Amino acid sequence: MKVAVIGAGPAGTRAVETLLAHGISPVWLEESADGGGRIYQRPPAPLARDHRTLYGFEAKRAAALHSAFDAARSRADWRPQTLVWHIRPSTRQLHTVSQGQQAVVDYHAAILCTGAMDRVIPIPGWTHPGVTSLGAAQIALKSQGCAIGQRPVFLGSGPLLWLVAYQYAKAGAPPAAVLDTTPFATKLAATPGLLRGGATFAKGLFYITWLRAHGIPIAEGVSPIAIDGAEDGVTALRWRDAAGREHRTECDALGLGWGLRPEAQLADLAGIPFRFDAVQHNWIPERDLAGRTPVAHHYLAGDGAGIGGAEMAELAGRRAALAVLQNARTPIDTAAAAALDRKLAAGQKFRVALERAFPFPAKLAASLPDDTILCRCEGLRAADIRATAMVDYHAGVAPELNRAKAFSRAGMGRCQGRLCGAATAEVLAAALGQPVEAIGRLRGQPPVKPIPIAAA
Amino acid sequence: MSTPVETAEVIILGGGGAGCSTALHLAQRGVRAVLLERGLVGGQASGVNYGGVRQQGRNPAELPIARRSREIWGRLPEIIGTDAEFSETGHLKLARNEAEEADLIAYLDTARQHGLPLRMVGRNAIHRDYPWLGPSVLAGSFAPEDGSANPRLLVPAIAKAARAAGAVIHEQTRVTGYYHGAGRFELTAEDGRRFAAPVLVNTGGYWGGAVAAAFGEAVPIQPLNPNMAVTEPIRYFIEPNLGVVGGNVYLRQIPRGNVILGGGHGESEADPANGRPWSRPLAEVTLETLRHAVRLVPALAGVQLIRSWSGIDGQMPDRIPVIGPSRTTPGLFHAFGFSGHGFQLGPAIGAILAELVTEGRSTTPIDAFRIDRFPVAAATAS
């Protein structure tokens, strides 16, 4: 049996490890040069540092995953720097490009462990140089050992906001401010559920307490107004506090993000149906706890199948590999599979609490000022999207998201809506007076990411 | 309990370019028309095609319609309130060997007979006038009145104008029941809604074949899935819409910088047992098209491809549509199976069908498109 595993983060690594343990050496495709995923990204060798410095509380987990990856790599058909840009489920073929070379990979079963990316909300001025996502700010630090600025501001909501702020402070670039758009009361209300998360919850509290103790300005329940900047970059963030007072915080860089969204384009191209998850406020591909999807022979694990975090991703990767083996009638330890199922189910409950603590601020996105650039690839402003919902629009009203895309080109640029899609949906839904789940989601179209024509 | 029947003078089945322009022209003539579309208007072949507004190279039988349509293209802003990004860039058809060059020369006569402006661009001029063409190009023929437009805008804008003129357009309305008796068509939608009219216009694209079959005149129609792709925006330098003899690649650049290219076919399930029809591009076809494109325009090497797509059109064995009255059912008129040629023709199809419906004749010759060119038995057997 030929199994393809796409992605070498926590889910992909554990999936491959499990397959190897059962005598199957999979084709292992990874877009970056190394394993570990974005969460446990390793610096290139010349910049190597110890796990404690790089990953803090997660050091042990990171080290364990890296050693699992290192052990598995040589035993699998490891293909780094390889983008899977199209999938054809009917013939079970992956189309890949690696350093300019096209290739086709046949498989009997595929486990898609494609991870997640930051969910951002454009705010006025977000296209100034120096504005980046929280995840990118963290990767700059982890991978290259460099900060996005000397005095960055971090804005958004979710566990990553506090973690990145902490990591920057420790690395010698103390944030000028950490601004959380979620009011303290919302988080407090979710506390009972969060306690289920045990260590994860405790870590979150630790970061916040540490930042306060070290004099980093913190505010919760804020509303961003605009990012000020000049040609050469960001100069300040203007924002309003929970009481409505306006502030201006000077900074030389800004990291923003509101949780994560699955990188699920490949699942989409594989024909796996999606559903709107109201708690995550994301469209996620359908799968069961073990990662089986309605499309036979195609499995999902990790954040690409709905955000669950790294710990859950490792469990899900193991479980999906067992599901592949079960389907092939390979004997597995069913008690171990059942134990994984229990942990995955418990993890989902904690996730619900976490999402409730840090809800996606849909209103913030929906109420962007008209002149805010929304789709930066195509240079479209919020007003351009709202126009497609108006009866006087020259091509008629766009009743759903793909029609608004067709009319306005929103999400038709290099990013194909990966960056702007979430906010565009909120803006359109609000303009149409519809709940966001009623206007559909941007259809995935190959390539998953741009591919060079020279590689044809 | 029976559902009330919505009545009209004409029911139009299918909201692509042909159907929506028919709704517009009928409404302008004061005819009460109801258009039924299974998805959104312009969602299939009319909306996902290449966007070529091309007359040169067409089957001669199509040229009178293409000429009439081109005249309407030039007046779109006054008719539908937008030009749908129509730009008269000219269309340059390229030959890559002597046989292809002979093909281009032979077509000059056809063009002349139909009053289509067309001129050869010879072996020297082609590389002087278009220095970005690759050495594989030998010669070309240039049609200055041709160009391109945005297929995502045209049909929705025609539909909007049709509504404003009084046509009723029901989207998300999939017809599953067909009945004709006592000079009246009765159609039933999936959700039970019923519609009736003495005249039925079948502009169902690929699915027009099933409508014809429902009235006893099945035709040998196949799904056609153009394999389309687009690059990231680059410096604007390809002004004309480009094609080649044989058609294995076609490409155009919009002033915004993106290069839109097509060639070959994707895959589809046009009649799925469950769910909606789907279509998708094929990776190997996309890559093959890109190789052809780079041979035509070497500067495209190194540019990034950002998206590819397909759609579902209906293709007839002789690559020209079915247009005209039914042979089995009085009051039924067809215009479907445009075989990849419908985008440019669409605006004129409505004018022709409105003539057929209200006057019983077309001022543009359409005899070549009669449905009875396909024997009923042969189609049924296939």
Side-chain angles (χ1 to χ4, degrees):
Chain A
M1 181 173 58
K2 190 165 177 183
V3 182
V5 176
I6 297 136
T13 299
R14 295 304 182 189
V16 169
E17 180 186 59
T18 305
L19 291 168
L20 287 168
H22 290 80
I24 289 174
S25 172
V27 186
W28 196 5
L29 304 145
E30 163 60 39
E31 195 181 339
S32 69
D34 197 3
R38 298 291 71 74
I39 178 135
Y40 304 132
Q41 181 149 347
R42 288 194 279 200
L47 296 172
R49 280 152 289 154
D50 69 79
H51 276 84
R52 186 79 215 163
T53 312
L54 282 166
Y55 310 110
F57 286 130
E58 312 300 329
K60 268 175 79 176
R61 205 162 266 288
L65 192 86
H66 288 148
S67 73
F69 167 77
D70 290 337
R73 175 173 56 180
S74 56
R75 297 171 59 208
D77 180 359
W78 167 244
R79 302 190 195 178
Q81 294 182 299
T82 302
L83 170 71
V84 180
W85 66 269
H86 199 9
I87 183 170
R88 193 179 183 205
S90 58
T91 55
R92 287 186 251 171
Q93 286 178 314
L94 302 171
H95 294 271
T96 68
V97 60
S98 180
Q99 314 207 35
Q101 292 298 310
Q102 288 284 341
V104 179
V105 175
D106 296 296
Y107 61 90
H108 296 117
I111 308 178
L112 312 181
C113 310
T114 45
M117 64 176 281
D118 292 274
R119 182 164 56 178
V120 299
I121 297 172
I123 56 176
W126 74 304
T127 51
H128 285 304
V131 180
T132 182
S133 70
L134 288 173
Q138 192 189 37
I139 283 169
L141 202 60
K142 275 195 289 204
S143 173
Q144 302 296 322
C146 76
I148 58 167
Q150 290 300 306
R151 291 289 283 163
V153 163
F154 294 111
L155 166 73
S157 193
L160 193 59
L161 175 70
W162 304 102
L163 176 60
V164 173
Y166 168 76
Q167 288 171 330
Y168 265 71
K170 289 278 274 188
V178 184
L179 304 173
D180 188 343
T181 55
T182 307
F184 177 68
T186 306
K187 282 171 280 193
L188 196 64
T191 304
L194 287 175
L195 290 173
R196 266 190 240 275
T200 308
F201 181 60
K203 278 179 278 184
L205 281 182
F206 170 83
Y207 297 137
I208 299 174
T209 311
W210 189 96
L211 288 164
R212 277 195 206 286
H214 288 76
I216 310 288
I218 287 175
E220 291 168 282
V222 310
S223 313
I225 300 169
I227 300 165
D228 291 340
E231 279 293 294
D232 57 345
V234 179
T235 53
L237 175 74
R238 284 183 286 123
W239 53 282
R240 206 168 273 122
D241 64 25
R245 285 184 299 263
E246 234 183 274
H247 302 262
R248 187 172 185 280
T249 305
E250 293 196 358
C251 58
D252 60 354
L254 194 129
L256 45 82
W258 284 265
L260 301 173
R261 52 171 292 278
E263 280 273 72
Q265 304 100 303
L266 215 51
D268 197 357
L269 295 179
I272 297 167
F274 280 59
R275 65 179 178 85
F276 188 78
D277 184 303
V279 175
Q280 298 201 355
H281 208 78
N282 269 329
W283 287 92
I284 60 175
E286 286 181 19
R287 43 123 188 142
D288 67 9
L289 217 50
R292 301 181 196 94
T293 74
V295 180
H297 313 294
H298 294 77
Y299 299 78
L300 298 169
D303 281 351
I307 305 305
E311 222 173 306
M312 287 298 119
E314 291 190 45
L315 302 175
R318 283 198 178 101
R319 187 62 188 90
L322 292 177
V324 168
L325 293 160
Q326 280 174 303
N327 190 58
R329 309 206 182 288
T330 306
I332 61 153
D333 180 349
T334 49
L340 285 170
D341 286 342
R342 280 193 299 277
K343 286 185 192 167
L344 285 164
Q348 279 188 345
K349 284 191 186 140
F350 170 63
R351 194 71 214 175
V352 170
L354 194 64
E355 297 289 346
R356 293 216 169 107
F358 301 105
F360 180 69
K363 284 208 179 72
L364 175 62
S367 61
L368 285 172
D370 266 348
D371 62 352
T372 310
I373 288 188
L374 194 51
C375 168
R376 59 193 301 173
C377 297
E378 295 291 329
L380 296 168
R381 294 169 193 277
D384 298 320
I385 308 306
R386 291 185 179 121
T388 67
M390 305 296 168
V391 285
D392 60 348
Y393 192 67
H394 64 94
V397 175
E400 48 95 38
L401 191 55
N402 283 298
R403 190 46 64 116
K405 170 186 171 182
F407 285 173
S408 69
R409 293 193 167 90
M412 277 197 173
R414 286 184 183 88
C415 93
Q416 290 292 295
R418 293 166 62 235
L419 206 58
C420 59
T424 301
E426 299 297 343
V427 168
L428 181 70
L432 288 168
Q434 298 263 2
V436 73
E437 61 270 30
I439 62 160
R441 65 189 176 88
L442 289 177
R443 226 182 339 257
Q445 288 168 311
V448 163
K449 287 181 187 170
I451 57 169
I453 288 184
Chain B
M1 192 185 82
S2 79
T3 319
V5 179
E6 182 172 346
T7 59
E9 290 176 85
V10 179
I11 294 175
I12 303 161
L13 256 185
C20 289
S21 80
T22 302
L24 173 63
H25 283 272
L26 286 174
Q28 284 174 337
R29 288 171 178 240
V31 177
R32 276 189 305 117
V34 170
L35 185 151
L36 308 177
E37 161 57 41
R38 67 190 287 163
L40 294 178
V41 293
Q44 284 293 346
S46 303
V48 301
N49 68 77
Y50 169 67
V53 182
R54 172 182 62 83
Q55 302 168 86
Q56 80 155 316
R58 279 180 182 275
N59 185 310
E62 285 182 351
L63 274 175
I65 309 177
R67 297 296 291 145
R68 184 172 181 180
S69 210
R70 175 61 187 82
E71 188 274 328
I72 299 173
W73 274 100
R75 292 189 290 118
L76 279 184
E78 60 188 85
I79 302 169
I80 61 169
T82 174
D83 64 3
E85 297 176 16
F86 171 56
S87 175
E88 191 187 65
T89 60
H91 179 269
L92 182 62
K93 188 169 182 178
L94 300 169
R96 295 163 292 188
N97 56 50
E98 291 187 0
E100 291 186 354
E101 186 185 30
D103 239 50
L104 294 181
I105 292 168
Y107 198 80
L108 293 173
D109 270 345
T110 306
R112 201 171 304 116
Q113 284 159 23
H114 290 89
L116 171 68
L118 185 67
R119 63 179 172 80
M120 277 304 284
V121 186
R123 297 185 180 195
N124 294 325
I126 193 87
H127 293 288
R128 185 194 62 220
D129 295 354
Y130 308 100
W132 37 263
L133 283 172
S136 70
V137 174
L138 194 63
S141 63
F142 185 73
E145 290 183 5
D146 286 350
S148 63
N150 184 338
R152 301 186 305 272
L153 298 179
L154 177 73
V155 175
I158 295 176
K160 187 188 179 202
R163 280 187 169 118
V168 173
I169 297 178
H170 294 301
E171 296 178 297
Q172 311 293 359
T173 302
R174 183 172 168 234
V175 171
T176 50
Y178 305 90
Y179 171 78
H180 179 254
R184 191 171 124 114
F185 292 88
E186 279 189 31
L187 306 183
T188 311
E190 205 169 21
D191 58 8
R193 279 176 296 152
R194 292 157 65 201
F195 306 90
V199 175
L200 178 64
V201 174
N202 170 21
T203 48
Y206 164 73
W207 299 276
V211 178
F215 292 99
E217 46 187 350
V219 292
I221 193 168
Q222 294 292 325
L224 174 73
N225 315 115
N227 202 94
M228 303 300 313
V230 63
T231 71
E232 63 185 328
I234 54 171
R235 178 183 60 86
Y236 181 60
F237 69 102
I238 306 170
E239 196 189 338
N241 178 356
L242 296 184
V244 295
V245 178
N248 62 11
V249 61
Y250 38 95
L251 66 92
R252 64 187 179 94
Q253 188 177 21
I254 55 171
R256 151 145 193 82
N258 307 75
V259 178
I260 296 125
L261 30 78
H265 303 116
E267 60 177 336
S268 69
E269 179 48 80
D271 302 299
N274 300 301
R276 305 182 132 233
W278 57 263
S279 61
R280 42 192 276 143
L282 287 172
E284 52 272 34
V285 175
T286 303
L287 296 175
E288 177 72 17
T289 301
L290 296 177
R291 284 190 285 272
H292 289 309
V294 169
R295 277 197 286 275
L296 278 196
V297 184
L300 293 178
V303 175
Q304 304 264 336
L305 188 82
I306 61 174
R307 185 172 67 258
S308 62
W309 69 94
S310 190
I312 301 175
D313 195 4
Q315 173 145 290
M316 309 310 301
D318 53 5
R319 308 281 197 274
I320 55 172
V322 171
I323 306 171
S326 159
R327 96 192 87 169
T328 60
T329 314
L332 171 62
F333 298 89
H334 299 295
F336 68 90
F338 279 86
S339 308
H341 306 163
F343 183 61
Q344 193 275 347
L345 299 180
I349 296 300
I352 289 169
L353 283 170
E355 289 174 352
L356 278 176
V357 166
T358 59
E359 301 165 32
R361 58 171 190 92
S362 158
T363 53
T364 306
I366 53 169
D367 203 50
F369 310 107
R370 297 160 60 100
I371 193 165
D372 62 11
R373 71 184 193 271
F374 303 109
V376 169
T380 311
S382 78

